[in-house]
Amino acid sequence: AQSNGIDAPVNFTAADSIVYDAQSKVAHLYGNATVDYQSMNLNSDKIYLCMDSSLVRATGTKDSASEGGIKGKPVFALGNDKYESDTMAFNFKTKKGLITGVYTQQEDGFLTSEISKRNDKGEMFLMHGKYTTCDNPHPDFYIAMSRAKVRPGKDAVFGPAYLVVADVPLPLAIPYGF
């Protein structure tokens, strides 16, 4: 293992350009950028890779012609888990991350949240999440969760939640769920 704790090669590419700042030791990747490390793959329009701390940060680029006004949103895959997001930051060494605007498929449903944290066990902690079986980006119905813990491929536990149909919250609160 190397002194910085990275024990495998980090491969990165970019379609437009790669700018390396030797003083800060940060690589800026622009245009369909990709970072691969072990079983982790990250693809985004812009990626910032800090060589010293093993941190990687990805964002899309504002583009009025693209869906949602952003092109090249980050797509993060680790093993069998795949997440689409607005922005994301991830640490290779600790396997921890912070994701905003996450969208992922879990079993037969789809899960989104405003802010998500991923720990080293692969568990996701969500704030202001939605779970639905509707594959439409703006679903007709969903369970709105104030917070949740998701163990991919296993289970999800959530706190106060309620059902929303056609953008109308139903007066039926769920104190917790599993």
Side-chain angles (χ1 to χ4, degrees):
Q2 298 173 2
S3 61
N4 64 1
I6 297 177
D7 52 10
V10 177
N11 298 310
F12 52 90
T13 61
D16 183 14
S17 62
I18 297 175
V19 178
Y20 180 68
D21 183 338
Q23 190 171 8
S24 65
K25 296 186 180 176
V26 174
H28 301 263
L29 290 68
Y30 299 102
N32 194 22
T34 301
V35 173
D36 289 304
Y37 175 70
Q38 294 179 331
S39 62
M40 184 209 88
N41 173 267
L42 175 62
N43 187 274
S44 183
D45 201 54
K46 288 191 289 192
I47 297 177
Y48 307 105
L49 177 62
C50 187
M51 301 301 195
D52 273 359
S53 62
S54 307
L55 292 173
V56 63
R57 185 171 188 277
T59 64
T61 303
K62 288 185 180 181
D63 180 17
S64 58
S66 298
E67 183 180 332
I70 299 175
K71 75 171 184 174
K73 286 185 176 185
V75 178
F76 175 71
L78 185 61
N80 294 327
D81 300 326
K82 186 175 179 181
Y83 309 95
E84 296 176 30
S85 63
D86 292 336
T87 66
M88 67 103 27
F90 187 76
N91 186 310
F92 300 143
K93 289 187 287 189
T94 64
K95 302 281 194 285
K96 294 179 181 177
L98 179 65
I99 309 168
T100 61
V102 71
Y103 177 85
T104 183
Q105 184 169 1
Q106 295 292 328
E107 300 297 322
D108 297 326
F110 300 90
L111 192 61
T112 62
S113 81
E114 286 181 17
I115 301 174
S116 305
K117 287 184 182 179
R118 182 193 188 278
N119 68 12
D120 55 347
K121 299 175 190 170
E123 299 167 335
M124 298 284 291
F125 298 87
L126 314 176
M127 282 185 61
H128 307 295
K130 296 177 185 178
Y131 179 79
T132 182
T133 54
C134 176
D135 62 358
N136 189 328
H138 188 79
D140 297 326
F141 60 91
Y142 57 88
I143 294 174
M145 304 170 287
S146 59
R147 61 185 183 271
K149 176 182 175 181
V150 178
R151 298 189 308 171
K154 294 181 182 173
D155 57 24
V157 180
F158 56 88
Y162 52 91
L163 183 63
V164 177
V165 178
D167 292 330
V168 178
L170 299 183
L172 173 64
I174 306 165
Y176 65 91
F178 181 77

